[in-house]
Amino acid sequence: MNPFKSKYLRYGLLLPLSASLLIGCGNSEENKEGNITDGLFGKKELPQASTDSVFVKQYISKQPEFKEFNDLMFHFYGDRDYKLAWFRENELVPQTQKFLEVIDKSEQEGLDPQNYKVVDLEKMIQQYKQLEPQDSSRLALQQEIDVALTASYFNYASDFYRGRANPQLNASDAQWDVKRNKIKLHKALQTILKERESTYPYYEFEALHTGYTRLREKLQEYRELESRGGWPKVELGNRKKLEQGDTAQAVIALRKRLNPSQTFAATDPKMKTYDAQLVAQVKKFQMLNGLKEDGVVGGNTLKQLNVPVEDRIRQIMINMERWRWIPKRLVPKKLDQKYIWVNIPEYKLYIYEDPNNDPEAERQYKKTMEMRVIVGKTLNSTPIFSDKLEYVVMAPYWNVPNSIVAKEMKPKLVNNPGWLASQNMEVVTKDKTPQSVSPYSIDWANVSEDNFNYRIRQKPGPKNSLGMIKFLFPNEYAVYLHDTPADALFSQTNRDFSHGCVRVQYPVKLADYLLEGMPEWNEQTIKQTMTSGEETWVTLPKQVQVYLVYFTSWVDDNGDIHFREDIYGHDKKLENDYFG
């Protein structure tokens, strides 16, 4: 291209027809229709618009919704030397129409299409198409459309890939400290425009996680249910519960609740009997809602049955939002290609592994292990974060946090310092080589969380609060996975009993899995070391990614949707932020 012409186009200067004729300098001529043609080959040569930093800055400053994408806009256009992105040979690229359709259908993503129609793109594009190629105003409109499309993409993609709500509403009450999805949206747009290769499905304007897309499908189903009137409320009247064999009008409502798309004859006596088939449906409902699977309708089961479909739709939407916060790459390349996933409201731990273990290839994680866990009670809630598991510690000491010393142990120790010995505990200094301190030498009455300068620790043994083994991923919360002597608690439906750490149901199985590949460790040597009474640290050859997350709704591999109680109240806070 003529360098003089390129200079003017780069800075966004519009070239009217007369100017373009002068630039041709004898190499082009005007035909009878007034089109510009190449003097040698007879091809059309129309001016090509571009933009510049001044225009971009001025444009987005006029739209408050676009201002937060200021840096992205300059990254994107700066990388391309301010060449337009959405036009090829003065024609809009096919991705334009696809993007407009994505915005129109964004309600399917739990988003509001009107939030992304800051400017009327379709009207601008229609105006552009109606202009003659020789119309000098066409280039000005071309530039405006291009910048508007880019800003609109960032506006939409930021919500779609990163999330609408702030997972940390304020610094003192972080609801979500998992490593954030740091997708580079300007690079994603380059991929969409087929100017860059990527293993992620940006070019399809698609989500990054299967957990999200499964919930999205259920969102459509539940909205369809809502449009048909939802499901009926189950009212027991004077009854406290329904059990197999009972006959009542409420049984028909129960059938309709569990089979909302079916029609039942209210006059058929059989429909009023709580039969074995309906009991099986209730048990499945209880399983999907984290309830005791006894087939009895009453109490929490009745409460969950009567949650309106509108509330479930909101619950699905805010859990879709949480998936947007999850990193696009679940496991960094340098780590072992497996990860531990603890879903707090579900009280479950899962391990997912990529059988190919190829950090360069597309991830194909498969579930290889699962077990029940015990998490923190409401006042000692388990924090939501991600980190890297580094150590397995057998026959561990339990170093009691100062908060527990001050709040729970102090009342006992004021009157009886010897209580520590009865619990196989001791007081030691905080040195690298701890020295024993007599509990009788401490003024327990004046001990506080801030001024206690010693450490209380429980010695290794079968009664140790951590059990016989723990799994460490050093973090600011002092939270980890560990064994427990209170195995009976794993049989409970709701398992929020801990001080914040996560107790695992099968610690030996977990240790054996993590130490696989280290020939000196197997199930037998692990058990022997756990009962040795001597604390032993084992460093993993490769760190393992750990996620402690909070999902109150998800879809399993069978396509069934689960719901759980909002045990810490995080859903309620997120709803206010997301919908407010």
Side-chain angles (χ1 to χ4, degrees):
M1 181 181 284
N2 188 310
F4 180 66
K5 179 177 177 182
S6 299
K7 174 183 175 184
Y8 278 85
L9 294 179
R10 176 176 176 181
Y11 290 99
L13 299 179
L14 304 181
L15 299 176
L17 188 59
S18 57
S20 64
L21 286 172
L22 290 173
I23 292 171
C25 197
N27 290 328
S28 62
E29 58 186 17
E30 188 171 357
N31 62 19
K32 292 178 181 179
E33 288 74 29
N35 293 327
I36 301 171
T37 62
D38 188 289
L40 294 176
F41 303 106
K43 294 180 180 179
K44 292 183 179 180
E45 184 181 330
L46 294 173
Q48 303 290 311
S50 65
T51 188
D52 59 28
S53 59
V54 174
F55 181 85
V56 171
K57 183 176 182 180
Q58 289 177 343
Y59 186 84
I60 60 179
S61 68
K62 296 175 184 177
Q63 305 293 345
E65 295 87 346
F66 292 158
K67 287 182 180 179
E68 65 177 288
F69 310 113
N70 185 77
D71 290 345
L72 279 170
M73 294 290 287
F74 288 121
H75 273 306
F76 178 72
Y77 280 109
D79 284 351
R80 62 193 307 108
D81 203 21
Y82 287 89
K83 177 184 175 182
L84 298 191
W86 299 82
F87 287 88
R88 300 287 186 276
E89 300 296 329
N90 292 308
E91 296 293 333
L92 283 161
V93 296
Q95 292 90 331
T96 306
Q97 185 58 38
K98 188 166 187 176
F99 174 53
L100 295 178
E101 291 171 359
V102 165
I103 290 178
D104 284 337
K105 296 178 181 178
S106 59
E107 189 178 8
Q108 297 177 3
E109 312 293 341
L111 302 171
D112 184 353
Q114 295 307 313
N115 288 338
Y116 313 110
K117 296 183 178 182
V118 177
V119 294
D120 194 338
L121 289 167
E122 293 185 355
K123 181 179 179 181
M124 293 166 64
I125 291 171
Q126 191 60 33
Q127 289 175 345
Y128 177 77
K129 291 179 178 179
Q130 291 173 353
L131 293 174
E132 294 295 329
Q134 301 84 5
D135 194 326
S136 60
S137 63
R138 199 167 185 255
L139 290 179
L141 186 54
Q142 195 179 83
Q143 179 182 201
E144 184 179 356
I145 290 171
D146 201 274
V147 174
L149 278 167
T150 302
S152 296
Y153 170 77
F154 290 144
N155 187 28
Y156 170 78
S158 178
D159 285 358
F160 180 63
Y161 286 119
R162 295 174 174 175
R164 288 193 63 240
N166 184 353
Q168 296 177 310
L169 296 183
N170 58 70
S172 62
D173 184 26
Q175 289 190 43
W176 189 277
D177 199 22
V178 173
K179 185 180 179 181
R180 292 296 306 277
N181 182 359
K182 295 183 179 180
I183 177 175
K184 295 179 180 178
L185 295 179
H186 63 295
K187 298 292 186 184
L189 182 51
Q190 290 174 6
T191 304
I192 286 170
L193 296 170
K194 297 185 177 180
E195 298 174 347
R196 176 177 173 271
E197 294 293 328
S198 175
T199 58
Y200 297 99
Y202 303 133
Y203 58 90
E204 294 290 346
F205 297 92
E206 189 50 278
L208 304 178
H209 299 294
T210 302
Y212 175 96
T213 56
R214 287 176 174 177
L215 280 174
R216 181 175 61 192
E217 291 171 3
K218 291 299 178 181
L219 177 62
Q220 309 318 312
E221 291 181 21
Y222 273 63
R223 280 178 168 162
E224 289 173 9
L225 272 174
E226 181 186 30
S227 69
R228 298 198 301 267
W231 46 64
K233 187 174 183 179
V234 180
E235 296 180 302
L236 302 184
N238 296 326
R239 292 175 174 270
K240 290 186 177 180
K241 58 185 178 180
L242 281 177
E243 296 181 288
Q244 185 171 355
D246 287 347
T247 300
Q249 190 67 29
V251 176
I252 294 179
L254 179 61
R255 290 184 187 279
K256 291 180 178 179
R257 167 62 183 89
L258 296 175
N259 306 275
S261 60
Q262 295 183 27
T263 303
F264 298 97
T267 57
D268 185 347
K270 294 180 181 179
M271 294 296 99
K272 296 182 181 180
T273 301
Y274 190 22
D275 55 27
Q277 184 178 6
L278 190 53
V279 169
Q281 284 190 301
V282 169
K283 287 184 176 180
K284 181 176 181 180
F285 175 87
Q286 291 171 327
M287 181 272 290
L288 294 175
N289 286 267
L291 304 167
K292 183 179 179 180
E293 298 170 44
D294 57 8
V296 177
V297 176
N300 282 334
T301 296
L302 184 63
K303 177 184 175 183
Q304 295 305 315
L305 282 166
N306 287 331
V307 173
V309 66
E310 295 81 6
D311 290 2
R312 290 307 191 199
I313 287 172
R314 292 167 74 89
Q315 189 172 356
I316 291 170
M317 289 170 68
I318 62 173
N319 282 281
M320 288 171 65
E321 173 75 355
R322 288 188 173 113
W323 272 111
R324 297 181 185 117
W325 302 340
I326 297 291
K328 63 180 180 180
R329 183 182 290 276
L330 286 164
V331 181
K333 290 183 179 181
K334 63 182 179 180
L335 301 188
D336 205 350
Q337 292 303 306
K338 59 172 66 81
Y339 64 92
I340 296 172
W341 182 270
V342 178
N343 187 18
I344 296 167
E346 188 185 3
Y347 310 112
K348 291 289 286 289
L349 175 151
Y350 300 91
I351 294 181
Y352 293 89
E353 181 178 354
D354 176 18
N356 299 319
N357 202 24
D358 181 356
E360 299 299 330
E362 186 177 356
R363 303 270 62 84
Q364 298 291 334
Y365 290 108
K366 305 293 183 183
K367 183 167 63 178
T368 59
M369 188 182 299
E370 66 178 85
M371 65 186 72
R372 294 184 171 195
V373 298
I374 294 168
V375 301
K377 46 196 165 188
T378 303
L379 293 177
N380 303 101
S381 59
T382 298
I384 301 163
F385 70 103
S386 59
D387 217 306
K388 303 170 186 64
L389 196 151
E390 300 180 39
Y391 310 103
V392 176
V393 184
M394 290 166 257
Y397 282 97
W398 176 41
N399 295 306
V400 184
N402 277 11
S403 58
I404 295 178
V405 172
K407 294 175 183 177
E408 300 181 28
M409 293 184 171
K410 175 180 171 179
K412 298 181 178 68
L413 295 171
V414 167
N415 297 319
N416 180 21
W419 176 82
L420 286 177
S422 70
Q423 304 299 311
N424 201 29
M425 292 183 177
E426 61 183 349
V427 182
V428 295
T429 61
K430 290 185 176 181
D431 305 325
K432 289 184 178 180
T433 54
Q435 303 297 313
S436 180
V437 176
S438 171
Y440 293 93
S441 67
I442 297 172
D443 180 11
W444 293 107
N446 291 312
V447 163
S448 70
E449 183 176 347
D450 297 325
N451 70 11
F452 188 60
N453 296 319
Y454 301 106
R455 175 180 292 128
I456 292 179
R457 67 181 185 180
Q458 190 173 35
K459 300 174 185 177
K463 294 184 179 180
N464 188 290
S465 295
L466 302 183
M468 310 293 282
I469 191 168
K470 66 180 179 180
F471 307 86
L472 288 182
F473 37 103
N475 58 82
E476 62 181 290
Y477 306 102
V479 164
Y480 39 85
L481 310 177
H482 66 84
D483 181 21
T484 176
D487 289 340
L489 294 178
F490 287 110
S491 64
Q492 300 293 316
T493 303
N494 296 327
R495 297 184 293 277
D496 48 340
F497 304 115
S498 82
H499 282 89
C501 286
V502 177
R503 307 174 193 173
V504 298
Q505 185 179 17
Y506 304 122
V508 175
K509 184 179 178 181
L510 179 59
D512 191 31
Y513 174 83
L514 291 172
L515 300 178
E516 185 181 16
M518 301 178 72
E520 65 271 34
W521 294 107
N522 54 45
E523 185 174 334
Q524 182 180 354
T525 55
I526 290 169
K527 287 181 176 178
Q528 288 175 347
T529 308
M530 285 168 58
T531 57
S532 68
E534 182 178 346
E535 187 174 74
T536 303
W537 287 57
V538 181
T539 302
L540 296 182
K542 264 192 172 183
Q543 298 174 359
V544 176
Q545 186 70 46
V546 178
Y547 289 95
L548 303 185
V549 295
Y550 195 92
F551 284 90
T552 59
S553 182
W554 68 94
V555 179
D556 63 27
D557 293 338
N558 296 320
D560 292 320
I561 188 164
H562 294 246
F563 295 102
R564 291 297 186 274
E565 289 277 10
D566 180 21
I567 58 176
Y568 296 158
H570 292 331
D571 275 13
K572 188 174 182 180
K573 293 178 182 178
L574 178 53
E575 276 194 50
N576 291 335
D577 195 24
Y578 188 85
F579 296 106

